[in-house]
């Protein structure tokens, strides 16, 4: 059950005319009162002798009595809607719900003889509208501040008591939704999304790619977005606003959106905080063997689940914010076939990127630098590095879902879950070709080598070994184990760590999951190396697992 509260202005009669009318698309059926402040208000929907003018007059009585003391916009309008799958509530049930909402918001506290006058109108099976005039019997205004969160809290209680769908509730950190006028304009122009939504995606992508605020504005202009940078008298930047060239108002002028109206984290101060210069990046942790940018981003994403489990909330929120930037950047670097799903994942995770917790952004700068570097690098042709990166990002998104769940960030957790679904689809598509290569290499291994790898699996993972060896993906895992062994690693130790590093009981194919984990943990280049290169590869120490208790993922 959801509520929508608006301060409808000073025209009580106009609001009632809409509620008792046929609706914008003739969707209103049988408009009638289900309750009123005293139970005797005239009902133009059921009483032929009653008119809208009479109902408006009795509602406005105290407004007229208050004269100049009455607020200019005295009409309070609240719609209360049940979920589509909820049972149809009776008029009496809606009447009780209306009184509970009015009591919770302070418009009409229960038992208060001086409470505001109000009516509840039902013109559809699934919702009611409550209209009140904001002057009490003592001619003072009601104490209805914070009315929306209070109504929302009451709706949560009503859902439980009435056995209705329990709606995922937010913390008022969500980006502003497109208005109805914006949605209708988009439909008229044949666009699937509104300008507000398109600009939000464009700005978020520019933030993920930019290394400074100057470059941020340059990237926006290069995407053909109109940009107006606002300055203080001192010359310092105060803010910015953006518009689409083809989105104009009735006068033919661009329709501008400030950054803060696109998203709470897209205001200029928030963007400049993330793009502020930081200390130089630390040297590579493997002297003599420089990791590629793709491997750096993968390693950074791989650390996020541990960081979310081990750091304080401010640092955790910073890493979730930078994870969102990773998702925003992925459509820029991925092959065209994967862009739609990756774009949907980024769009879904946008809601998961913010909470009431203030992020300590400087704690995630290493990851942010790697992301900005990867968008300037060409994507590898074989696709294996992308598959490994998607695997690490997917695990990080699932960890973010768990992080939000434990903090009761319901909307953010649901957004992360949706993002994981889109990422999983992209991951499956991205792994198809490189897994085929590994599979063919595994089939070409000599029989004694295959047998040794099977023995290794039975020793390292006795409870999972028979399932792994029976899977179609086993030859690919055998090839991965052989690569690790040739590179100087202990494949048994890596395999044990890979299985412990994340839970496997929800994986569709254990062998395929382990292929990417082995390469990621060992930090290997997934491209098949020549025999000479393998023999010359220096031995490396396997990094220890830092947490055995990880959130699950679904493949």
């Amino acid at each position: 059950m959801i509520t929508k509260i608006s301060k409808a202005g000073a025209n009580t009669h106009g609001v009632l005319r809409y509620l008792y009318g046929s609706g914008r698309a003739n969707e209103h059926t049988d408009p009638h009162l289900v309750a009123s402040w005293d139970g005797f208000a005239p009902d133009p929907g059921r009483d032929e002798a009653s008119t809208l003018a009479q109902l408006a007059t009795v509602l406005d009585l105290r407004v007229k009595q208050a004269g100049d003391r009455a607020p200019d916009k005295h009409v309070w309008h609240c719609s209360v809607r049940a979920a589509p799958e909820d049972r149809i509530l009776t008029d009496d049930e809606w009447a009780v719900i209306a009184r509970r909402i009015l009591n919770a918001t302070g418009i009409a506290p229960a038992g208060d003889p001086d409470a505001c006058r109000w009516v509840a109108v039902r013109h559809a099976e699934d919702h009611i509208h409550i209209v009140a005039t904001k002057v009490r019997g003592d001619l003072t205004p009601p104490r209805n501040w914070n009315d929306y969160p209070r109504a929302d809290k009451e709706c949560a209680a009503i859902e439980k008591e009435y056995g209705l769908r329990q709606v995922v509730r937010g913390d008022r950190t969500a980006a502003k939704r497109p208005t109805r006028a914006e949605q209708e304009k988009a439909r008229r122009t044949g666009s699937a999304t509104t300008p507000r939504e398109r600009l939000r995606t464009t700005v978020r992508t520019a933030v993920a790619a930019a290394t400074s605020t100057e470059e941020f504005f340059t990237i926006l202009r290069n995407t053909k977005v109109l940009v107006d940078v606002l300055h203080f008298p001192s010359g310092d930047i105060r803010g910015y606003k953006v518009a689409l060239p083809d989105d104009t108002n009735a006068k033919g002028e661009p329709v501008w959106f400030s950054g803060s109206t696109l998203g709470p984290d897209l205001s200029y101060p928030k963007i400049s905080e993330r793009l502020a210069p930081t200390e130089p990046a630390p040297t590579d942790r493997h002297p003599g063997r420089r990791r590629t940018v793709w491997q750096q981003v993968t390693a950074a994403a791989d650390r996020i689940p541990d960081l979310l489990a081990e750091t304080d909330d401010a640092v955790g929120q910073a890493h979730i914010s930078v994870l969102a930037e990773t998702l925003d950047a992925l459509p820029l670097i991925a092959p065209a076939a994967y862009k739609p799903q990756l774009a949907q994942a980024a769009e879904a995770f946008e809601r998961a990127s913010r909470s009431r917790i203030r992020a300590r952004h400087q704690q995630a700068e290493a990851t942010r630098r790697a992301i900005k570097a990867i968008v300037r690098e060409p994507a590898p042709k074989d696709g294996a590095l992308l598959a490994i990166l998607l695997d690490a990002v997917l695990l990080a998104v699932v960890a973010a879902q768990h992080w939000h769940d434990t903090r009761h960030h319901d909307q953010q957790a649901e957004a992360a879950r949706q993002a994981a679904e889109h990422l999983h689809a992209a991951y499956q598509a991205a792994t198809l070709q490189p897994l085929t290569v590994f599979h063919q290499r595994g089939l070409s291994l000599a029989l004694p080598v295959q047998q040794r790898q099977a023995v290794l699996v039975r020793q390292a993972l006795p409870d999972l070994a028979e399932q792994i060896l029976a899977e179609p993906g086993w030859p690919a895992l055998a090839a991965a184990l052989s690569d690790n062994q040739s590179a100087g690693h202990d494949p048994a130790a890596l395999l044990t760590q890979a299985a412990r590093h994340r839970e496997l009981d929800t994986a569709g194919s254990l062998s395929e999951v382990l292929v990417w984990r082995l390469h990621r943990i060992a930090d290997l280049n997934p491209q098949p190396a020549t025999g000479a290169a393998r023999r010359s590869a220096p031995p490396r120490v396997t990094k220890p697992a830092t947490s055995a208790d990880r959130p699950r993922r679904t493949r």
Side-chain angles (χ1 to χ4, degrees):
M1 181 169 287
I2 59 174
T3 59
K4 182 178 180 181
I5 297 175
S6 62
K7 282 65 178 176
N11 190 349
T12 307
H13 188 275
V15 176
L16 294 174
R17 186 169 59 247
Y18 165 72
L19 298 183
Y20 277 93
S22 59
R24 293 184 174 91
N26 296 315
E27 72 274 20
H28 296 177
T29 59
D30 187 24
H32 62 280
L33 286 185
V34 295
S36 64
W37 76 96
D38 63 356
F40 297 103
D43 182 4
R46 294 289 173 84
D47 184 356
E48 295 181 357
S50 299
T51 65
L52 288 178
Q54 289 176 327
L55 181 57
T57 297
V58 293
L59 281 171
D60 281 341
L61 176 63
R62 291 171 176 172
V63 177
K64 295 186 180 301
Q65 291 174 339
D68 293 340
R69 289 182 292 168
D72 293 335
K73 295 184 178 181
H74 61 263
V75 182
W76 185 87
H77 180 197
C78 173
S79 62
V80 188
R81 185 179 299 273
E85 63 270 27
D86 285 340
R87 63 181 175 85
I88 297 175
L89 300 172
T90 66
D91 281 359
D92 288 341
E93 288 175 317
W94 277 120
V96 172
I97 290 170
R99 292 188 175 94
R100 291 182 62 167
I101 297 296
L102 288 158
N103 175 65
T105 57
I107 292 292
D112 183 355
D114 285 332
C116 296
R117 293 191 168 194
W118 59 271
V119 293
V121 178
R122 183 179 189 179
H123 58 207
E125 291 183 337
D126 63 347
H127 69 280
I128 59 170
H129 291 260
I130 307 171
V131 178
T133 47
K134 293 170 53 179
V135 178
R136 291 169 42 81
D138 55 8
L139 304 186
T140 61
R143 297 181 177 181
N144 68 307
W145 53 79
N146 287 330
D147 49 5
Y148 175 76
R150 289 156 66 184
D152 197 50
K153 182 178 180 181
E154 187 65 23
C155 280
I158 291 169
E159 290 165 356
K160 293 181 180 179
E161 294 176 27
Y162 283 69
L164 305 177
R165 174 189 169 190
Q166 295 185 30
V167 175
V168 176
R169 319 208 97 80
D171 55 4
R172 306 182 78 180
T173 60
K176 185 177 179 180
R177 295 180 179 179
T179 65
R180 183 163 184 167
E182 291 171 0
Q183 293 172 337
E184 291 178 350
K185 183 178 180 180
R187 281 194 291 269
R188 289 195 305 269
T189 57
S191 176
T193 56
T194 64
R196 182 191 298 273
E197 293 167 312
R198 298 204 298 275
L199 286 168
R200 180 184 299 131
T201 298
T202 302
V203 171
R204 289 185 65 86
T205 304
V207 173
T211 58
S212 65
T213 53
E214 293 79 8
E215 187 179 20
F216 165 68
F217 292 128
T218 299
I219 292 173
L220 284 180
R221 293 187 178 98
N222 289 341
T223 59
K224 309 303 182 185
V225 169
L226 302 179
V227 182
D228 185 12
V229 181
L230 310 175
H231 295 84
F232 289 110
S234 63
D236 295 333
I237 296 178
R238 176 168 60 90
Y240 73 99
K241 54 184 180 179
V242 289
L244 295 176
D246 58 350
D247 181 33
T248 57
N249 57 22
K251 298 179 180 179
E253 302 167 336
V255 178
W256 294 97
F257 294 87
S258 66
S260 59
T261 62
L262 297 177
D265 55 345
L266 297 180
S267 66
Y268 179 76
K270 294 291 180 66
I271 290 175
S272 60
E273 180 183 359
R274 281 189 280 171
L275 297 181
T278 58
E279 295 297 322
T283 58
D284 196 285
R285 62 188 178 94
H286 301 303
R289 185 178 182 275
R290 183 176 178 81
R291 291 183 299 173
T292 68
V293 173
W294 281 72
Q295 289 170 322
Q296 292 176 36
V297 174
T298 300
D302 192 47
R303 288 192 296 269
I304 287 177
D306 282 324
L307 291 167
L308 292 181
E310 299 167 1
T311 58
D312 62 40
D313 283 358
V315 176
Q317 180 61 61
H319 285 285
I320 287 178
S321 298
V322 86
L323 177 58
E325 293 181 33
T326 306
L327 290 167
D328 289 333
L330 284 177
L332 298 176
I333 59 179
Y338 315 135
K339 289 183 185 295
Q341 288 287 4
L342 293 176
Q344 288 177 304
E347 181 181 353
F349 198 77
E350 184 270 341
R351 179 64 191 98
S353 65
R354 294 182 303 275
S355 71
R356 286 287 183 184
I357 300 168
R358 182 176 177 83
R360 200 175 298 145
H361 288 296
Q362 66 272 20
Q363 298 295 321
E365 279 307 305
T367 305
R368 182 168 285 111
R369 282 192 295 265
I371 294 167
K372 297 179 187 309
I374 202 173
V375 298
R376 292 159 173 80
E377 292 280 333
K381 295 181 179 179
D382 69 352
L385 281 179
L386 176 62
I388 294 173
L389 173 58
L390 291 182
D391 183 67
V393 172
L394 180 52
L395 289 168
V397 168
V398 174
Q401 178 186 348
H402 176 75
W403 190 86
H404 282 306
D405 265 330
T406 59
R407 288 155 182 78
H408 306 290
H409 300 164
D410 296 337
Q411 284 189 354
Q412 290 91 332
E414 174 60 18
R417 185 195 64 77
Q418 294 176 11
E421 289 184 354
H422 294 300
L423 267 178
H424 183 231
Y427 164 84
Q428 286 185 311
T431 58
L432 185 60
Q433 187 275 334
L435 274 175
T436 301
V437 174
F438 279 114
H439 186 83
Q440 294 299 325
R441 290 182 52 236
L443 292 176
S444 66
L445 291 175
L447 183 59
V449 176
Q450 295 184 36
Q451 291 173 338
R452 285 198 300 271
Q453 305 302 351
V455 170
L456 187 151
V457 171
R458 288 189 174 96
Q459 291 174 344
L461 306 175
D463 296 335
L464 302 174
E466 298 310 316
Q467 178 181 345
I468 292 172
L469 296 174
E471 289 180 345
W474 158 240
L477 178 57
L481 289 168
S482 180
D483 285 351
N484 278 272
Q485 193 166 24
S486 299
H489 294 281
D490 179 353
L494 282 180
L495 194 59
T496 302
Q497 181 181 340
R500 185 177 65 245
H501 199 49
R502 306 284 190 275
E503 295 183 38
L504 290 174
D505 54 355
T506 59
S509 172
L510 303 183
S511 52
E512 292 179 1
V513 172
L514 290 171
V515 167
W516 308 122
R517 293 188 187 178
L518 287 174
H519 280 293
R520 192 165 72 251
I521 293 172
D523 202 15
L524 291 174
N525 187 328
Q527 292 180 330
T530 64
R534 292 173 188 159
R535 286 192 296 271
S536 63
R540 293 178 44 219
V541 178
T542 303
K543 67 176 183 179
T546 54
S547 175
D549 181 20
R550 290 303 187 82
R552 298 173 180 241
R553 66 176 286 180
T554 300
R555 285 190 185 273

